[in-house]
């Protein structure tokens, strides 16, 4: 190459920086598609939430699950979407996400007149790379909800898929109801091993304009 020859363009395919930027753009687009408009400004501000997201970005199979607990309006959902955004912004090689309120999830999983629809939906939720279940433990318990929950959590437990769960119920409470009362002992046992980050959220209901963010 002579001095007069143009330098090769490094800002395209083959350039690591270009590929990383493309992965970031793709992942953030997937995140935005899965995120309701109210949470499009979500940011992971808590150190333990950021740490979990960084572990998931580095090695999804080693991240386990993150459980955020606390009363209504303490910012659990905001932190969860913030964690998923942080992962996307890191430019992962792969990024698949389903985010769903648990009541909506059970609604989708109930048997319908469409043969096999509920099983296909359960398979989709079980196998997706990142699953975020919001307001876990608020639905009415039954043998059916316990069995469906077991099948979902057991698959993700066995396949080491990163999962985020928020709940108004504490992980364990000797004086009142907790997640064990909702999910049953089989699921509780798996969650106890899956959860690598337990994040209690405290404070007033931010939706009512009380307290700090």
């Amino acid at each position: 190459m002579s001095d007069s020859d143009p330098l090769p363009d490094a800002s395209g395919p083959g350039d690591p920086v270009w590929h990383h930027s493309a992965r970031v753009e793709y992942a953030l687009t997937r995140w935005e598609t899965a995120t309701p408009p109210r949470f499009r400004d979500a940011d992971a501000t808590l150190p333990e939430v950021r740490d979990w997201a960084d572990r998931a970005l580095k090695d999804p199979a080693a991240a386990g699950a993150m459980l955020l607990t606390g009363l209504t309006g303490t910012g659990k959902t905001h932190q969860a979407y913030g964690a998923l955004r942080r992962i996307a912004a890191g430019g992962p090689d792969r990024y698949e996400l389903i985010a769903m309120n648990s009541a909506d999830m059970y609604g989708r999983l109930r048997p319908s007149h469409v043969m096999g629809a509920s099983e296909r939906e359960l398979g989709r939720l079980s196998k997706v790379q990142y699953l975020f279940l919001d307001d876990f433990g608020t639905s009415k318990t039954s043998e059916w909800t316990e069995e469906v929950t077991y099948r979902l959590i057991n698959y993700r437990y066995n396949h080491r898929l990163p999962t985020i769960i928020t709940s108004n119920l504490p992980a364990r409470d000797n004086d009142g109801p907790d997640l064990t009362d909702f999910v049953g002992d089989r699921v509780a046992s798996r969650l106890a091993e899956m959860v690598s980050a337990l994040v209690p959220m405290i404070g007033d209901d931010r939706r009512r304009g009380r307290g700090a963010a």
Side-chain angles (χ1 to χ4, degrees), residues 139-151:
S139 302
K140 185 177 180 180
T141 59
S142 67
E143 289 185 6
W144 177 81
T145 58
E146 187 173 327
E147 184 62 27
V148 166
T149 304
Y150 169 75
R151 291 180 61 191

Side-chain angles (χ1 to χ4, degrees), residues 6-112:
L7 292 174
D9 183 8
S11 60
D15 173 50
V17 175
W18 183 90
H19 280 287
H20 180 265
S21 297
R23 291 197 305 270
V24 169
E25 182 178 0
Y26 171 81
L28 284 175
T29 298
R30 296 292 296 266
W31 174 84
E32 186 171 326
T33 300
T35 302
R38 186 174 295 278
F39 297 102
R40 297 271 170 83
D41 64 344
D43 187 23
T45 59
L46 299 178
E48 54 266 57
V49 175
R50 293 198 301 268
D51 288 346
W52 182 87
D54 291 344
R55 291 198 304 273
L57 177 62
K58 182 178 181 181
D59 184 1
M66 178 167 63
L67 173 60
L68 300 104
T69 65
L71 299 177
T72 299
T74 51
K76 302 182 298 295
T77 305
H78 184 96
Q79 291 293 325
Y81 278 116
L84 293 165
R85 182 182 190 176
R86 185 178 178 91
I87 295 169
D93 293 331
R94 174 172 162 248
Y95 191 81
E96 298 172 356
L97 166 64
I98 295 176
M100 190 176 297
N101 181 285
S102 64
D104 292 334
M105 178 189 75
Y106 290 119
R108 287 171 174 259
L109 294 178
R110 290 195 182 280
S112 70

